[in-house]
Amino acid sequence: MADRSAPSCHLRLEWVYGYRGHQCRNNLYYTAAKEIVYFVAGVGVVYSPREHRQKFYLGHQDDIISLALHPERVLVATGQVGKEPYICVWDSYTVQTVSVLKDVHTHGIACLAFDLDGQRLVSVGLDSKNTVCVWDWRKGKLLSMAPGHTDRIFDISWDLYQPNKLVSCGVKHIKFWSLCGNSLTPKRGVFGKTGDLQTILCLACARDEVTYSGALNGDIYVWKGINLVRTIQGAHAAGIFSMNACEEGFATGGRDGCVRLWDLNFKPITVIDLRETDQGYKGLSVRSVCWRGDHILVGTQDSEIFEIVVHERNKPFLIMQGHCEGELWALAVHPTKPLAMTGSDDRSVRIWSLIDHALIARCNMEEPIRCAAVSTDGIHLALGMKDGSFTVLRVRDMTEVVHIKDRKEAIHELKYSPDGNFLAVGSNDSSVDVYGVVQRYKKVGECVGSLSFITHMDWSSDSKYLQTNDGNGKRLFYRMPSGKEVTNKEELKGIQWASWTCVSGVEVNGIWPKYSDINDINSVDANFIGQVMVTADDYGIVKLFRYPCLRKGAKFKKYLGHSAHVTNVRWSHDHQWVVSIGGADHSVFQWKFVPDRKLKDTLHIAPQESLVDSNSDESDSDQSDVPELDSEIEQETQITYRRQVYKEDLPQLKEQCKEKRKSAASKRRERAPGNSIRLHFVHGYRGYDCRSNLFYTQTGEIVYHVAAVGVVYNRQQNTQRFYLGHDDDILCLAIHPLKDYVATGQVGRDSSIHIWDTETIKPLSVLKGYHQYGVCAVDFSADGKRLASVGIDDNHTIVLWDWKKGEKLSAVRGSKDKIFVVKINPYMPDKLITVGIKHMKFWRRAGGGLIGRKGCIGALGRTDTMMCAVYGWTEEMAFSGTSTGDVCIWRDVFLIKTVKAHDGPVFSMHALEKGFVTGGKDGVVALWDDTFERCLKTYAIKRAALAPGSKGLLLEDNPSIRAISLGHGHILVGTKNGEILEVDKSGPITLLVQGHMEGEVWGLATHPHLPICATVSDDKTLRIWDLSPSHCMLAVRKLKKGGRCCCFSPDGKALAVGLNDGSFLIVNADTLEDLVSFQHRKDVISEIRFSPGTGKYLAVASCDNFVDIYNVMSSKRVGICKGASSYITHMDWDIRGKLLQVNTGAKEQLFFEAPRGKKQIIPSLEVEKIGWASWTSVLGSCCEGIWPIIGEVTDVTASCLTSDSKVLATGDDFGFVKLFRYPAKGKFGKFKRYVAHSTHVTNVRWTYDDSLLVTVGGADTSLMLWTYEMEGHRDSRQCDSEESDLDSEEDGGYDSDVTRENEINYTIKALSTNIRPMFGIKPHLQQKEPTLDERQGVVRGSRPPVSRALPQPEKLQTNNVGKKKRPIEDLILELVFGYRGKDCRNNVHYLNDGADVIYHTASIGILYNVATGSQSFYQEHNDDILCLTVNQHPKFINIVATGQETQQICQVLL
């Protein structure tokens, strides 16, 4: 059976044995429903003692190490370890995620705490700074962040009696924090002489600024404010790990195994010593306590949970047990009873009842246990030890039968034969020993064929053969009991195996990913009856495969929960359960097996949602059982949007060219030209790799995009308006529900999304900072307040924004494969769907994260590639279009049916008030009723259906449809071929917009005396465009190959076209029919030019370094220009038609005489004197200035001179169109620059009368027309032009004062570190008259913990006997002379209707009273103040903000 699909049955987590007591504290609580919440491995567990039932939270993908309970005791926050750890806030009742907090911490989250009203959550990271973060957890928003301490922090708590105060403690410190605005400010606790400076492990806050903390030596330290006031010595005999506050008082638990209860004043009530109770043992250590009413929960270091009822305190009830610290490897199941046996490095062997979910026996051994096996009759239990010995116990009473040590290395595997006569013992000594059970385990054989340690073994059903796997991945066979190796393949063929736990072998090939280390799957167990097997690996994943599984890279279902490596996995004797054990998390998981037939009954139960998909996953195979991708989709997924250089890199690149800049700045340079250009019309629409990017606006205009331009097209007037805020390819567009705003997302290193108004063409919001490389999909919510976007980074990150505030609400990694569409649920803005390559996911927002569930296909088929999606008319209905032409109908996350809609992929879908409209690759638009039951009408996009007055030409019938939109009684259709059509409901089609298709556009020629131009592209079409106001395509011809250049003859009747295969054509300029064609070259024809005048000669340049000259009249080649060392890029004739100027890829400027092609050497001074018929060259002294400073990185690809030889237009690889004065002598000339094309501008040409500049963009396929405007014609317009790269002194320069101020460097200081730490009381809390005590510190503040002054001596010794002793007061600031005017501005203001003046100098804010001449001071800054402003709003009277040189801004109330 070579079926590589995932099995249809699945596993459900039923019970977890264990509790994480080691390295954690305060992680065990009662919920409001009197259930117990804790965690083990990567699972949050909610246990109901009444029903003896567990619920699981599976939202983490690594070890959970911290937990906090919300004050209402329903919600739980848990934090995990990992490279990018996150915090989940989840509901203990439903075990569903409420919020995810991420993207801030690294390494792990050590502690968590909710504040009194449960609105905020504080977390501490495991990074080197132990960062403290405060979150608005419902929004998933970070409110404040500060470095916590240089050493580990063990506990943090909010002061429940003072708002905005926190306390944290850890290695040799305690800190008291205040949260003011968004800044967290700490003060270190002063130990003084009251107690020793030592590590504080836990704390609890009480009234009146009192804090109790538990120390490493067992004392309790009592703090008032930040000072230690007293200690309660010997509260515990050793470290106090946990402290829990409740209404009755406090409970503490320590390493001495005692739990102590204290009243609210910390007077002792009672002691419970767990070591002395029935269940107690020596070395019991308490890690967590929780006191609620008369019940106390206790968690211990060794993974037990006790419940103590106060009036029966000597009889604690043991709720949960698990293995202690040390790896857990040994697992065996009883052959006839629902029992599992486990053994660990903690030297204990334990027997668990799978029915009662309880530990029923435990026995401690002398050595760590590494493997276990139960004899076939269930009487004996064999245990393999780490020291090379093995022990056999009686299962009944755990008494020893025999203990044998024949090996020095660990025993990793042992198994009884099916007939019960033999025990095979495999060791790390690379051998297997065979013992006779009946002969009291006498050694009867040895297998010595392996060269590495033995990892797995299986007996044949007749007990005559044994197969082994070793560390090298070798599979060997032995005859039993002698141990002789079997190599004869015939003998092996008929063997039936009694069990299958080996990881190598033909039957289990499919469990291995294609490229995998042979050791990362630790265990396998096959269920022969159910034809499934289960595997355990090093990544904490339990997987379910079909058995046998013959071909590599088979599909599977995967289950998360274990955090580290899963060491072993076994089916129970009746195949009802799977038991898996975790190595480092030493937990035992029991999974219920849900076979195929039962799945149908459980379909209405939604799958367990999680951040990591714990249902089925695609395996890493080449999915040969998946239908091939449609060619168009295949092509699209291979497009890369990465650029070698992005426009964002320009400032850095210029910075690197500093030396060049300096030398250039010293030279006088030509001014930029006075004339300018303005974008007038764009031919093109981006359809080939985008979808649903075409809409009607409120006013009936049409909005779409091409290149880096958002276009608003008025179809009545045939005019366009442009949004030019982007600087690279726009990849997606969405319209606001009110149809007045549009969101567009672009390519970029840190790519941005712009939301702009279609009426005013002004940006309303720009969103940046979260998407790398580009944004491929956007969507507005139904209320228009939110925006969802998808990036084209490797994880296709999905971000949900509040776009008006520019705030990221939530983000999540979407999928490894491309996502095509994101849609927000119109009824519930917290829900969305994404579709893409083999991807259909339903997301809901949870704080700062999104939680996804895959669409459940059930028995209806496999996940197809989805190309489009919409929501239906109820909140749970969704519809998606597949790459095979089906429409899938979803309710909630379940697929309920599919409807065949198109031949080939369904690329676009639109929901109407009563029904839907779809468009596909088959070129058909279909209208459907509201349930997709009936197709009401179809429209085929054909040339025959074009309305009589329609301008332009349809390139082909049935073009692939990429976008559909409805409105104003029409259907708007965008095609892959770059056309936009309007379909009337009655049938006729109007062509509105056209452009080239996918492929680079290089060829461009303007007509010698008509407003017409020709373009030729890699899309294998030659097109003629009308440049007059009708703006349409006049003619099109398909070519056999793509073309790179074209040129009109001087009389405009013929058109020469150079093709990519080395041939060229001359066609009739009106009909585009062939006149003549030639092929003398094999490489691309890069430039083609008729000689001026009569057009007697045609020069044809190719990429194989030659220019051929043809006589047009005789149709013969008359000359060849040789001597270029690289491909030819540009060519110009002189006026007489006798001389050719040629540029090459090696930046050579060469001259050839026509018609023979003889090379000429002409000095540069002479070149300027020659009259050229055209100038499209980019080299030579006349255009030295057009090369930018970063000329090594980028190329100037094209240029063209106006007929009056005054302005040179250029196009470059950055997508800039620039205008220079001609001649552009001297380096780095000044220019005006325009952005509209995205990447390289491949060609630029002026029309015959210079009224328009025509430009083509290579990969952006667009043809742009710019109107040429003379100086003085400039109306103020947005985004007209930018000035050049350099602004030197002589260009107006700076005033000397400005220059000096500009050059001030504020960082070079002897003391650039903070001398005085920041501190302060919120201004409105300050008392007006400082008391004597307060004055002892700095005015208006409390005493700083560190001061510049030496500490005051305790008693001041004076020798003036007669004087009274009086305390020395600190200095008080009385008067400040000076005002900072040298480098600041607008920093003096009146306050209080002119009664006071506020200004600053040094690090002091000064309030000067005009009437009295007195000053008062704000002294909270610790470095120079550089700016000051006053809040003018009547609500915030007298609020001043001042900014200083270092890191903080203060806000002051005066």
Side-chain angles (χ1 to χ4, degrees):
M1 177 181 157
D3 188 351
R4 283 212 334 222
S5 58
S8 45
C9 44
H10 80 124
L11 302 177
R12 192 180 71 239
L13 188 56
E14 184 176 284
W15 201 263
V16 178
Y17 302 89
Y19 151 75
R20 170 93 187 223
H22 63 285
Q23 299 159 352
C24 290
R25 54 198 73 69
N26 301 329
N27 59 351
L28 180 63
Y29 295 99
Y30 283 111
T31 68
K34 298 203 167 72
E35 294 178 317
I36 296 166
V37 62
Y38 59 96
F39 57 81
V40 58
V43 180
V45 182
V46 182
Y47 170 66
S48 162
R50 279 199 305 259
E51 299 168 24
H52 190 56
R53 194 170 57 84
Q54 287 181 342
K55 292 183 290 196
F56 308 104
Y57 176 71
L58 297 168
H60 288 280
Q61 90 271 62
D62 211 329
D63 268 326
I64 302 175
I65 54 163
S66 53
L67 182 147
L69 191 65
H70 190 275
E72 288 164 10
R73 309 212 326 263
V74 174
L75 297 175
V76 181
T78 44
Q80 68 166 55
V81 293
K83 195 164 130 197
E84 294 174 349
Y86 50 85
I87 300 161
C88 295
V89 181
W90 47 279
D91 186 315
S92 64
Y93 187 68
T94 62
V95 290
Q96 299 291 5
T97 312
V98 179
S99 183
V100 181
L101 315 176
K102 51 185 214 171
D103 298 336
V104 177
H105 288 295
T106 57
H107 300 81
I109 288 131
C111 9
L112 293 164
F114 283 100
D115 69 353
L116 178 63
D117 57 3
Q119 298 296 316
R120 293 175 298 181
L121 178 73
V122 64
S123 60
V124 177
L126 278 178
D127 54 292
S128 56
K129 294 180 175 173
N130 297 287
T131 308
V132 177
C133 295
V134 178
W135 304 83
D136 177 336
W137 62 265
R138 271 198 197 278
K139 290 184 182 162
K141 192 172 155 192
L142 183 67
L143 299 176
S144 179
M145 178 173 162
H149 193 64
T150 48
D151 236 321
R152 267 294 298 275
I153 294 178
F154 290 130
D155 199 2
I156 192 160
S157 172
W158 290 85
D159 188 328
L160 303 179
Y161 302 96
Q162 296 183 80
N164 300 329
K165 299 277 192 223
L166 300 108
V167 191
S168 69
C169 64
V171 176
K172 299 203 167 168
H173 78 281
I174 182 165
K175 280 189 178 176
F176 298 85
W177 300 81
S178 54
L179 177 62
C180 177
N182 67 353
S183 82
L184 264 174
T185 318
K187 292 183 181 176
R188 284 192 78 148
V190 181
F191 285 82
K193 294 194 166 174
T194 319
D196 298 334
L197 171 66
Q198 61 166 317
T199 295
I200 308 287
L201 295 169
C202 57
L203 52 84
C205 296
R207 293 182 184 283
D208 307 325
E209 290 187 56
V210 173
T211 308
Y212 299 104
S213 63
L216 190 60
N217 64 356
D219 293 353
I220 283 170
Y221 281 22
V222 185
W223 305 81
K224 172 93 175 175
I226 63 166
N227 295 305
L228 180 60
V229 289
R230 65 188 177 102
T231 63
I232 301 169
Q233 291 184 341
H236 285 266
I240 303 173
F241 284 127
S242 180
M243 188 179 285
N244 179 245
C246 67
E247 291 92 43
E248 287 86 3
F250 301 89
T252 57
R255 195 168 167 186
D256 56 1
C258 292
V259 174
R260 279 181 175 250
L261 304 186
W262 313 78
D263 68 10
L264 290 166
N265 297 319
F266 242 93
K267 300 276 185 293
I269 300 175
T270 185
V271 183
I272 301 158
D273 188 345
L274 286 169
R275 293 183 185 182
E276 302 302 316
T277 59
D278 308 347
Q279 307 275 9
Y281 52 89
K282 186 171 175 247
L284 186 147
S285 166
V286 175
R287 301 294 295 205
S288 190
V289 252
C290 175
W291 179 14
R292 277 276 168 270
D294 57 351
H295 285 72
I296 300 162
L297 273 181
V298 181
T300 74
Q301 169 91 24
D302 288 350
S303 306
E304 297 125 338
I305 300 176
F306 292 98
E307 188 170 43
I308 305 168
V309 183
V310 176
H311 50 78
E312 290 180 5
R313 65 192 69 154
N314 301 330
K315 294 183 184 164
F317 179 60
L318 193 51
I319 295 178
M320 176 52 67
Q321 283 171 282
H323 281 280
C324 323
E325 227 164 332
E327 295 241 324
L328 174 59
W329 279 87
L331 170 66
V333 289
H334 196 283
T336 56
K337 295 180 185 164
L339 301 176
M341 288 73 169
T342 56
S344 148
D345 286 1
D346 69 3
R347 304 183 183 195
S348 70
V349 56
R350 302 175 188 234
I351 302 181
W352 313 88
S353 161
L354 301 180
I355 288 183
D356 299 334
H357 301 140
L359 179 69
I360 53 173
R362 171 182 172 167
C363 176
N364 285 352
M365 312 304 289
E366 298 296 311
E367 288 295 329
I369 303 161
R370 276 295 156 109
C371 56
V374 185
S375 61
T376 327
D377 52 14
I379 292 171
H380 285 177
L381 170 62
L383 303 169
M385 307 296 183
K386 205 172 174 180
D387 67 344
S389 64
F390 72 92
T391 303
V392 181
L393 305 178
R394 285 184 194 83
V395 174
R396 189 178 68 243
D397 53 5
M398 302 291 257
T399 52
E400 189 174 298
V401 178
V402 63
H403 177 80
I404 295 169
K405 186 172 193 299
D406 286 341
R407 295 282 165 198
K408 292 196 172 65
E409 298 265 337
I411 307 293
H412 197 80
E413 178 75 308
L414 37 70
K415 275 223 170 69
Y416 281 97
S417 62
D419 60 11
N421 292 332
F422 301 104
L423 174 67
V425 179
S427 79
N428 284 3
D429 288 350
S430 315
S431 58
V432 179
D433 299 321
V434 186
Y435 297 89
V437 175
V438 192
Q439 300 97 305
R440 278 196 57 77
Y441 292 93
K442 179 183 167 205
K443 185 168 173 180
V444 295
E446 188 174 345
C447 314
V448 289
S450 275
L451 299 172
S452 178
F453 53 93
I454 307 296
T455 56
H456 305 87
M457 292 188 306
D458 285 303
W459 286 86
S460 62
S461 303
D462 57 7
S463 304
K464 289 183 180 168
Y465 296 94
L466 183 78
Q467 67 165 331
T468 66
N469 288 175
D470 62 24
N472 289 339
K474 290 272 186 300
R475 178 187 183 195
L476 299 171
F477 303 91
Y478 300 96
R479 205 172 285 114
M480 288 285 129
S482 64
K484 189 168 184 294
E485 192 176 340
V486 182
T487 49
N488 176 358
K489 290 193 175 162
E490 289 305 309
E491 188 178 342
L492 298 171
K493 268 188 180 166
I495 300 177
Q496 288 280 315
W497 299 102
S499 64
W500 189 289
T501 60
C502 285
V503 295
S504 30
V506 184
E507 291 86 337
V508 292
N509 269 346
I511 65 175
W512 294 99
K514 288 213 151 157
Y515 317 100
S516 165
D517 170 12
I518 210 76
N519 297 326
D520 59 8
I521 296 179
N522 296 316
S523 178
V524 171
D525 196 17
N527 168 354
F528 296 137
I529 301 160
Q531 292 191 317
V532 282
M533 67 176 157
V534 59
T535 69
D537 65 29
D538 278 350
Y539 308 108
I541 298 171
V542 173
K543 293 178 182 171
L544 200 58
F545 288 90
R546 291 183 186 273
Y547 178 86
C549 189
L550 306 174
R551 287 164 62 199
K552 268 208 158 190
K555 303 279 180 51
F556 47 79
K557 292 196 170 164
K558 69 172 184 179
Y559 303 92
L560 300 167
H562 286 288
S563 50
H565 45 293
V566 187
T567 50
N568 216 327
V569 61
R570 289 287 178 267
W571 290 93
S572 63
H573 74 102
D574 54 0
H575 300 118
Q576 271 201 60
W577 293 285
V578 169
V579 180
S580 62
I581 57 174
D585 62 34
H586 34 263
S587 56
V588 181
F589 282 41
Q590 178 180 333
W591 309 82
K592 180 80 177 161
F593 177 56
V594 184
D596 216 355
R597 57 185 182 281
K598 290 208 181 138
L599 262 177
K600 295 186 175 55
D601 315 335
T602 58
L603 195 67
H604 61 280
I605 304 166
Q608 165 70 43
E609 59 172 36
S610 65
L611 289 169
V612 185
D613 224 344
S614 65
N615 300 334
S616 163
D617 190 32
E618 303 298 347
S619 56
D620 321 327
S621 64
D622 57 359
Q623 289 137 348
S624 56
D625 53 339
V626 170
E628 269 189 51
L629 268 182
D630 175 82
S631 57
E632 267 186 35
I633 303 170
E634 183 77 55
Q635 213 176 331
E636 191 176 326
T637 54
Q638 287 163 7
I639 295 175
T640 171
Y641 297 98
R642 307 276 164 101
R643 312 260 190 260
Q644 275 163 330
V645 184
Y646 289 88
K647 290 200 177 75
E648 289 122 296
D649 306 335
L650 273 172
Q652 280 167 300
L653 291 168
K654 285 182 189 162
E655 201 55 36
Q656 288 159 15
C657 303
K658 256 189 177 162
E659 292 310 310
K660 281 196 196 171
R661 292 184 64 162
K662 280 185 184 154
S663 65
S666 59
K667 293 184 187 135
R668 175 93 191 151
R669 292 177 305 142
E670 194 63 63
R671 283 177 303 130
N675 303 351
S676 58
I677 55 172
R678 182 171 51 119
L679 191 57
H680 172 60
F681 203 88
V682 179
H683 289 285
Y685 153 70
R686 180 122 182 184
Y688 67 87
D689 61 343
C690 301
R691 58 200 55 71
S692 306
N693 55 352
L694 175 62
F695 298 98
Y696 283 110
T697 66
Q698 234 175 21
T699 54
E701 293 179 304
I702 292 165
V703 62
Y704 61 97
H705 63 86
V706 64
V709 185
V711 183
V712 181
Y713 173 69
N714 184 318
R715 61 196 202 288
Q716 281 84 19
Q717 296 168 4
N718 195 25
T719 55
Q720 296 177 337
R721 293 177 300 135
F722 309 104
Y723 177 72
L724 297 170
H726 289 282
D727 61 11
D728 209 330
D729 273 326
I730 300 175
L731 295 183
C732 53
L733 181 149
I735 196 155
H736 189 280
L738 298 177
K739 306 261 189 288
D740 52 354
Y741 301 159
V742 163
T744 42
Q746 73 164 62
V747 170
R749 193 179 292 289
D750 170 13
S751 44
S752 58
I753 300 161
H754 293 230
I755 293 94
W756 46 280
D757 186 319
T758 56
E759 269 307 296
T760 62
I761 316 285
K762 289 212 162 54
L764 304 163
S765 178
V766 178
L767 312 174
K768 286 184 83 154
Y770 290 96
H771 288 301
Q772 276 182 312
Y773 308 124
V775 180
C776 62
V778 283
D779 188 43
F780 280 102
S781 60
D783 60 5
K785 290 180 180 168
R786 291 185 181 181
L787 184 78
S789 60
V790 179
I792 51 175
D793 54 290
D794 294 339
N795 295 310
H796 294 93
T797 309
I798 303 165
V799 179
L800 193 59
W801 306 84
D802 178 329
W803 64 265
K804 280 189 179 158
K805 291 183 184 162
E807 196 178 294
K808 178 197 79 158
L809 300 174
S810 304
V812 72
R813 291 174 176 180
S815 163
K816 285 279 177 227
D817 287 313
K818 180 143 189 193
I819 293 178
F820 294 125
V821 174
V822 60
K823 278 276 179 249
I824 302 181
N825 191 317
Y827 309 96
M828 305 177 74
D830 275 349
K831 290 192 170 178
L832 40 122
I833 45 180
T834 54
V835 299
I837 302 280
K838 290 186 288 304
H839 168 99
M840 174 83 191
K841 259 193 170 172
F842 297 81
W843 304 87
R844 69 177 179 82
R845 183 179 172 214
L850 288 155
I851 290 177
R853 282 151 66 178
K854 283 193 172 171
C856 282
I857 307 272
L860 291 170
R862 61 167 73 83
T863 304
D864 205 342
T865 289
M866 306 282 178
M867 300 306 300
C868 55
V870 290
Y871 275 98
W873 299 110
T874 61
E875 64 195 49
E876 68 265 6
M877 294 303 287
F879 302 85
S880 64
T882 73
S883 61
T884 52
D886 294 337
V887 169
C888 297
I889 303 173
W890 305 82
R891 180 182 286 118
D892 197 22
V893 298
F894 300 103
L895 179 62
I896 48 180
K897 78 176 208 192
T898 60
V899 177
K900 184 74 180 163
H902 290 272
D903 294 332
V906 184
F907 280 125
S908 187
M909 258 173 137
H910 193 78
L912 313 174
E913 282 179 27
K914 293 194 180 89
F916 298 91
V917 57
T918 60
K921 186 182 176 180
D922 55 7
V924 173
V925 177
L927 287 169
W928 302 82
D929 65 4
D930 53 3
T931 55
F932 267 101
E933 300 278 329
R934 280 177 35 243
C935 179
L936 306 174
K937 190 160 185 185
T938 61
Y939 302 93
I941 307 294
K942 290 201 160 98
R943 294 184 184 125
L946 278 179
S950 182
K951 59 188 176 54
L953 305 156
L954 196 57
L955 191 67
E956 57 187 16
D957 281 347
N958 298 334
S960 178
I961 293 172
R962 303 307 288 256
I964 290 188
S965 178
L966 274 87
H968 305 274
H970 295 91
I971 303 170
L972 202 53
V973 177
T975 74
K976 178 176 191 271
N977 295 349
E979 297 141 342
I980 298 177
L981 310 145
E982 195 170 54
V983 182
D984 192 275
K985 295 270 173 77
S986 59
I989 297 172
T990 315
L991 190 54
L992 301 176
V993 173
Q994 265 186 300
H996 277 281
M997 305 181 286
E998 189 175 5
E1000 299 212 346
V1001 187
W1002 282 79
L1004 169 67
T1006 48
H1007 195 281
H1009 46 257
L1010 291 173
I1012 285 176
C1013 75
T1015 56
V1016 60
S1017 152
D1018 288 353
D1019 70 2
K1020 301 182 188 171
T1021 62
L1022 167 66
R1023 302 174 186 233
I1024 307 283
W1025 307 87
D1026 186 346
L1027 306 181
S1028 68
S1030 73
H1031 295 308
C1032 66
M1033 187 170 81
L1034 296 172
V1036 60
R1037 170 175 164 183
K1038 288 195 177 176
L1039 306 168
K1040 62 180 194 304
K1041 285 274 181 280
R1044 283 280 164 120
C1045 55
C1046 57
C1047 179
F1048 281 100
S1049 61
D1051 60 3
K1053 289 183 179 164
L1055 177 63
V1057 183
L1059 302 182
N1060 292 351
D1061 63 351
S1063 66
F1064 70 92
L1065 315 168
I1066 300 177
V1067 300
N1068 179 316
D1070 297 329
T1071 63
L1072 300 188
E1073 286 167 1
D1074 274 11
L1075 298 173
V1076 62
S1077 73
F1078 290 93
Q1079 178 151 15
H1080 282 124
R1081 298 284 168 211
K1082 299 217 166 34
D1083 216 334
V1084 177
I1085 302 294
S1086 54
E1087 182 66 295
I1088 195 161
R1089 278 304 173 87
F1090 281 99
S1091 64
T1094 55
K1096 183 178 174 186
Y1097 297 115
L1098 179 66
V1100 181
S1102 73
C1103 283
D1104 45 14
N1105 309 0
F1106 297 106
V1107 179
D1108 297 321
I1109 300 177
Y1110 293 83
N1111 182 323
V1112 180
M1113 310 306 167
S1114 66
S1115 301
K1116 286 196 169 68
R1117 179 161 67 164
V1118 292
I1120 301 176
C1121 308
K1122 302 173 182 170
S1125 63
S1126 179
Y1127 55 92
I1128 313 296
T1129 55
H1130 305 83
M1131 228 172 18
D1132 290 301
W1133 288 90
D1134 75 335
I1135 294 172
R1136 298 169 308 141
K1138 293 280 169 59
L1139 192 65
L1140 260 181
Q1141 171 181 216
V1142 170
N1143 290 182
T1144 75
K1147 299 199 175 161
E1148 304 163 300
Q1149 184 185 24
L1150 306 172
F1151 300 94
F1152 297 98
E1153 203 169 28
R1156 294 283 166 262
K1158 188 165 179 259
K1159 191 171 174 186
Q1160 303 290 324
I1161 299 204
I1162 302 177
S1164 58
L1165 285 169
E1166 296 300 316
V1167 177
E1168 293 173 32
K1169 293 177 187 165
I1170 297 171
W1172 295 99
S1174 64
W1175 184 283
T1176 60
S1177 169
V1178 295
L1179 300 172
S1181 59
C1182 304
C1183 46
E1184 185 187 10
I1186 69 176
W1187 287 87
I1189 287 188
I1190 47 173
E1192 284 80 51
V1193 184
T1194 178
D1195 249 343
V1196 178
T1197 46
S1199 77
C1200 189
L1201 188 60
T1202 53
S1203 47
D1204 62 5
S1205 301
K1206 286 194 174 160
V1207 175
L1208 185 69
T1210 68
D1212 64 29
D1213 275 352
F1214 264 116
F1216 295 137
V1217 175
K1218 294 179 181 173
L1219 297 187
F1220 292 86
R1221 276 183 194 271
Y1222 185 83
K1225 292 188 174 179
K1227 287 190 170 175
F1228 317 130
K1230 299 207 168 172
F1231 53 80
K1232 291 185 173 171
R1233 134 180 133 179
Y1234 304 87
V1235 182
H1237 287 289
S1238 54
T1239 48
H1240 45 291
V1241 179
T1242 48
N1243 221 328
V1244 298
R1245 289 288 180 270
W1246 294 99
T1247 51
Y1248 70 101
D1249 57 357
D1250 293 342
S1251 61
L1252 291 171
L1253 177 69
V1254 188
T1255 61
V1256 287
D1260 68 27
T1261 72
S1262 61
L1263 170 68
M1264 299 195 182
L1265 314 183
W1266 308 75
T1267 48
Y1268 184 44
E1269 296 181 344
M1270 297 302 162
E1271 203 163 355
H1273 178 271
R1274 299 185 56 174
D1275 46 350
S1276 58
R1277 286 182 301 275
Q1278 169 210 13
C1279 217
D1280 175 2
S1281 76
E1282 294 183 41
E1283 296 304 336
S1284 58
D1285 295 347
L1286 297 173
D1287 288 308
S1288 56
E1289 296 287 317
E1290 38 85 20
D1291 297 338
Y1294 291 136
D1295 171 89
S1296 59
D1297 277 3
V1298 182
T1299 309
R1300 194 179 68 236
E1301 187 177 328
N1302 192 31
E1303 287 165 359
I1304 291 179
N1305 181 350
Y1306 293 102
T1307 52
I1308 303 167
K1309 284 260 181 116
L1311 302 164
S1312 57
T1313 52
N1314 286 356
I1315 301 171
R1316 245 183 302 163
M1318 302 299 277
F1319 65 94
I1321 299 173
K1322 263 197 167 175
H1324 58 278
L1325 300 175
Q1326 293 176 354
Q1327 294 151 356
K1328 291 291 171 270
E1329 266 310 306
T1331 62
L1332 190 67
D1333 290 352
E1334 280 178 320
R1335 279 197 204 138
Q1336 298 275 310
V1338 180
V1339 187
R1340 294 200 182 187
S1342 52
R1343 178 187 290 278
V1346 179
S1347 162
R1348 284 186 202 171
L1350 291 167
Q1352 285 184 332
E1354 298 210 343
K1355 282 186 177 157
L1356 212 69
Q1357 300 294 325
T1358 62
N1359 52 7
N1360 282 3
V1361 184
K1363 285 191 179 174
K1364 284 186 180 175
K1365 289 184 181 174
R1366 205 181 71 180
I1368 301 291
E1369 292 188 7
D1370 264 355
L1371 300 176
I1372 297 170
L1373 189 61
E1374 203 167 81
L1375 189 63
V1376 175
F1377 291 98
Y1379 152 69
R1380 178 123 183 183
K1382 63 175 179 181
D1383 59 351
C1384 301
R1385 58 197 62 70
N1386 301 338
N1387 58 349
V1388 182
H1389 295 272
Y1390 277 119
L1391 286 181
N1392 304 326
D1393 297 330
D1396 297 310
V1397 175
I1398 181 134
Y1399 60 97
H1400 64 84
T1401 185
S1403 67
I1404 296 172
I1406 301 170
L1407 188 70
Y1408 174 77
N1409 186 295
V1410 180
T1412 63
S1414 61
Q1415 294 178 338
S1416 38
F1417 311 106
Y1418 178 77
Q1419 294 175 268
E1420 302 291 290
H1421 284 285
N1422 59 4
D1423 210 327
D1424 280 340
I1425 299 176
L1426 297 181
C1427 53
L1428 176 150
T1429 184
V1430 174
N1431 196 325
Q1432 306 293 346
H1433 196 284
K1435 197 166 139 191
F1436 299 105
I1437 227 150
N1438 290 355
I1439 294 268
V1440 177
T1442 43
Q1444 72 167 57
E1445 216 168 287
T1446 43
Q1447 298 138 3
Q1448 263 159 311
I1449 282 196
C1450 294
Q1451 197 175 37
V1452 193
L1453 185 82
L1454 289 164

